[in-house]
């Protein structure tokens, strides 16, 4: 009886694992195939593993440039998010006041409001400031858009630090700035890492704001470049190249995730979001 | 804090002000701006900006594509809530309760689609549905169901379910993790007691697991509703652009097309306000429906 139920419960698990993995394998194999091969034998292994498709995607279809742009935006955006969120999270957690309550609710409420609503004014604001088509500005916009979520997570982690540590530091004559940067920040390292991983993944994958706020091909990030590659591939029927482009966009995140998945799971299950 | 009040306020200002200023400029101002622009007829240049009062909203009311888009948006909300929650709950219970050795493998794999960009997911599934080289049709042909094969994304009736499937595919991992977190906080002794009392696994699920992880279930459902209304248009825009015709149009994709393709920024802003109103009402109503006292044994 136990054996039967053990097998029965595995059927949906294996089936779903297959449904998740199969498209990825199919994409990966397609990246090594020629057009003719993709049409005639979509199910088989590629006959020879040539990297032509990857080279063409990287060089001829702007994916290389876009890869570097995405990397830049992801790193700068994640860094800015943390820099902007730690001091606010600390002040809001430690100095409880009416004003602080209002502020924290404003940040939380903004997470409920669809960002689409703000895109048109944001576009014209950046146009006025001459910041359209600017990767630094895009990073800043990304960072601000994730500041409320990041503050929300970090407040939880700061709340777990015993107050005595800070009080002892005050007795030793440490300034509040010193306490914030030398004592509190190192102690919430786990929280910072977890939230930064989540932020970085969503900046790497972001598409629509980049589509609206970037304009020249040399500035495009991966999402926008992939969307253009898709349109080009339809005209050139460069399907193998498109598959290769998809791989270039996905593989770094999968590797990154495999390294850090423990942190994500931990942050997700241990108190961060409840 | 025991510092002099002046230096304390200086420190607080240092902590709070820069972030809040940037937040005002890049989040609050655009959102209020969206409301403001919705009362104008505006093609993007300052010369062509005229105040037209509620005309954009009257146009919204009479726009048949908007009605279609709202219905489609709710189709996605409904199908995603049912599909994601059923599967995520099942997987979460299976992976935590049933002592499966290779559980970490499934946990990692099921999360893969969550880390992929919507563009990548959209393009990948466009291929899967492709009439000539896609997996779906060639599978149907191989098992002899040739008459079922069709251009899934080009078919007015099938396009919506065809987009909903990748949306569910991509959503499960995150909510499975959230619910697993909830289940791991349920005291083991409850299940042991239930075992002794002879409660079946099914009864344990309904009478212990569901009530005790209800906060996580509720949060997940609300989160799916919000992200679907505010974000499912990305997948739509990538996979079909709202087509064929306007069969798969949702509010967000319609906003993008009107504003950034047709340069009707005032009308686009009005659609943005509509999205806000619809999602706030939906969240409030769902919160009311899902209201259930927190259970503690």
């Amino acid at each position: 009886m136990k054996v039967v139920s053990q097998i029965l419960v595995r059927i949906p698990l294996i089936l779903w694992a297959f449904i998740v993995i199969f498209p990825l394998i199919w994409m990966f194999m397609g990246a090594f195939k020629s057009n003719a091969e993709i049409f005639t034998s979509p199910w088989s292994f590629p006959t020879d593993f040539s990297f032509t498709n990857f080279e063409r995607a990287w060089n001829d279809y702007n994916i290389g440039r876009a890869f570097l742009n995405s990397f830049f935006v992801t790193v700068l955006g994640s860094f800015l998010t943390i820099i902007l969120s730690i001091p606010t999270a600390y002040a809001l957690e430690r100095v409880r006041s009416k004003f602080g309550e209002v502020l924290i609710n404003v940040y939380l409420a903004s997470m409920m409001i669809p960002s689409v609503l703000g895109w048109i004014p944001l576009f014209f604001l950046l146009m006025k400031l001459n910041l359209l088509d600017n990767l630094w500005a895009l990073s800043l916009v990304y960072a601000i858009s994730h500041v409320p979520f990041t503050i929300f997570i970090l407040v939880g982690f700061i709340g777990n630090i015993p107050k005595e540590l800070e009080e002892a530091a005050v007795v030793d004559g440490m300034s509040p700035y010193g306490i914030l940067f030398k004592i509190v920040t190192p102690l919430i390292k786990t929280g910072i890492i977890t939230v930064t991983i989540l932020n970085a993944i969503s900046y790497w994958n972001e598409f629509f704001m980049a589509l609206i706020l970037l304009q020249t091909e040399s500035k495009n990030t991966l999402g926008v470049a992939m969307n253009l590659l898709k349109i080009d591939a339809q005209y050139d029927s460069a399907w193998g190249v498109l598959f290769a482009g998809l791989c270039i966009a996905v593989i770094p995140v999968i590797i990154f995730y495999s390294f850090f998945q423990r942190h994500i799971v931990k942050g997700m299950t241990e108190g961060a979001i409840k | 804090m025991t510092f002099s009040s002046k230096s304390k306020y200086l420190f607080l200002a240092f902590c709070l002000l820069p972030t809040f200023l940037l937040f005002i400029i890049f989040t609050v101002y655009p959102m209020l701006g969206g409301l403001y622009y919705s009362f104008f007829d505006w093609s993007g240049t300052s010369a062509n900006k005229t105040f037209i009062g509620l005309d954009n909203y009257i146009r919204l009311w009479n726009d048949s594509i908007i009605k279609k888009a709202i219905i489609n948006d709710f189709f996605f909300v409904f199908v995603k809530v049912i599909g994601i929650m059923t599967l995520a709950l099942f997987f979460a219970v299976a992976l935590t309760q049933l002592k499966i050795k290779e559980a970490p493998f499934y946990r990692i794999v099921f999360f893969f689609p969550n880390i992929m960009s919507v563009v990548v997911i959209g393009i990948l599934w466009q291929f899967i549905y492709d009439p000539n080289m896609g997996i779906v049709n060639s599978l149907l042909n191989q098992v002899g169901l040739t008459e079922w094969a069709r251009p899934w994304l080009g078919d007015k009736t099938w396009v919506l379910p065809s987009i909903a499937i990748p949306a569910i595919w991509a959503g499960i991992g995150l909510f499975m993790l959230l619910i697993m977190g909830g289940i791991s906080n349920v005291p083991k002794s409850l299940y042991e007691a239930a075992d002794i009392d002879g409660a079946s696994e099914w009864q344990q699920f309904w009478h212990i697991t569901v009530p005790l992880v209800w906060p996580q279930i509720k949060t997940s459902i609300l989160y799916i509703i919000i992200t679907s209304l505010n974000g499912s248009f990305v997948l739509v825009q990538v996979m079909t652009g709202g087509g064929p015709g306007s069969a798969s149009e949702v509010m967000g994709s319609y906003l993008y097309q009107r504003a950034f393709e047709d340069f009707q920024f005032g009308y686009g802003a009005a659609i943005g306000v509509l999205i806000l109103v619809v999602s706030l009402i939906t969240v409030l109503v769902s919160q009311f429906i899902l209201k259930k006292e927190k259970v503690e044994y």
Side-chain angles (χ1 to χ4, degrees), chain A residues 72-269:
Chain A
F72 175 82
V73 171
T74 303
V75 172
L76 182 60
S78 311
F79 178 72
L80 287 173
T81 318
I82 282 299
I83 293 288
L84 289 169
S85 302
I86 293 177
T88 300
Y90 178 63
L92 289 179
E93 155 59 37
R94 283 305 194 237
V95 189
R96 294 282 174 185
S97 65
K98 268 266 154 55
F99 176 71
E101 290 296 319
V102 173
L103 198 57
I104 218 167
N105 281 321
V106 168
Y107 281 126
L108 286 180
S110 78
M111 288 162 67
M112 298 271 295
I113 295 177
S115 55
V116 204
L117 180 62
W119 285 355
I120 294 170
L122 188 62
F123 173 81
F124 286 101
L125 175 69
L126 291 187
M127 189 156 90
K128 243 178 240 157
L129 300 173
N130 228 344
L131 290 173
L132 277 183
D133 206 25
N134 182 321
L135 292 173
W136 293 80
L138 184 67
S139 311
L140 183 64
V141 168
Y142 281 173
I144 306 289
S145 72
H146 278 232
V147 155
F149 166 72
T150 310
I151 290 176
F152 175 61
I153 301 283
L154 291 183
V155 163
F157 279 92
I158 293 173
N160 290 337
I161 304 175
K163 278 207 175 89
E164 291 75 27
L165 282 174
E166 291 152 66
E167 283 157 9
V170 173
V171 174
D172 289 348
M174 202 179 224
S175 74
Y177 305 91
I179 296 175
L180 170 58
F181 293 113
K182 290 191 188 131
I183 296 184
V184 174
T185 305
L187 284 172
I188 52 168
K189 212 172 76 193
T190 324
I192 293 175
I193 293 174
T194 308
V195 80
T196 299
I197 294 167
L198 295 172
N199 288 341
I201 291 177
S202 61
Y203 300 159
W204 179 264
N205 288 335
E206 208 283 331
F207 167 60
F208 240 93
M209 281 197 196
L211 179 69
I212 292 171
L213 301 178
L214 300 175
Q215 288 163 336
T216 48
E217 200 152 284
S218 64
K219 294 284 166 56
N220 281 349
T221 49
L222 266 175
V224 188
M226 281 308 305
N227 200 44
L228 285 178
L229 170 56
K230 181 189 85 183
I231 295 162
D232 287 345
Q234 276 161 356
Y235 289 109
D236 309 351
S237 30
W239 305 116
V241 178
L242 183 54
F243 278 122
L246 290 173
C247 289
I248 294 173
V250 168
I251 289 172
V253 212
I254 290 193
I255 294 173
F256 183 76
Y257 167 67
S258 311
F259 271 112
F260 290 106
Q261 58 93 11
R262 265 168 214 288
H263 281 285
I264 300 180
V265 176
K266 221 168 102 185
M268 207 80 80
T269 50

Side-chain angles (χ1 to χ4, degrees), chain B residues 75-210:
Chain B
F75 173 85
F76 281 128
V77 167
F78 189 72
V79 173
K80 277 164 79 175
V81 167
I82 302 281
I84 294 178
M85 288 316 290
T86 316
L87 289 169
L89 247 179
F90 173 80
F91 292 142
V93 171
L95 295 184
T96 45
Q97 306 288 83
L98 300 174
K99 300 184 187 67
I100 291 168
K101 275 196 302 283
E102 67 279 20
F105 166 78
Y106 294 120
R107 201 191 59 210
I108 293 171
V109 167
F110 291 179
F111 199 72
F112 273 166
N114 282 86
I115 56 170
M116 291 165 58
S117 106
V118 181
V119 184
V120 170
I121 292 169
I123 297 175
L124 188 59
W125 280 81
Q126 249 181 310
F127 266 102
I128 291 174
Y129 289 126
D130 190 279
N132 302 313
M133 54 185 149
I135 304 176
V136 177
N137 278 357
S138 67
L139 197 71
L140 288 171
N141 287 332
Q142 274 184 1
V143 295
L145 292 167
T146 319
E147 69 274 23
W148 286 27
R150 65 192 81 227
W152 296 94
L153 296 174
D155 185 311
K156 282 199 163 135
T157 9
W158 287 97
V159 64
L160 277 191
S162 302
I163 299 175
I165 290 173
I168 294 171
W169 183 80
I172 284 179
L174 177 68
F175 299 103
M176 184 189 78
L177 281 190
L178 270 175
I179 297 168
M180 283 170 77
I183 295 177
S184 66
N185 288 334
V186 176
K188 291 271 174 299
S189 56
L190 286 177
Y191 293 107
E192 283 157 15
D195 266 335
I196 294 168
D197 292 344
S200 72
E201 277 168 355
W202 193 241
Q203 285 170 321
Q204 293 183 19
F205 173 75
W206 282 113
H207 296 290
I208 301 175
T209 310
V210 171

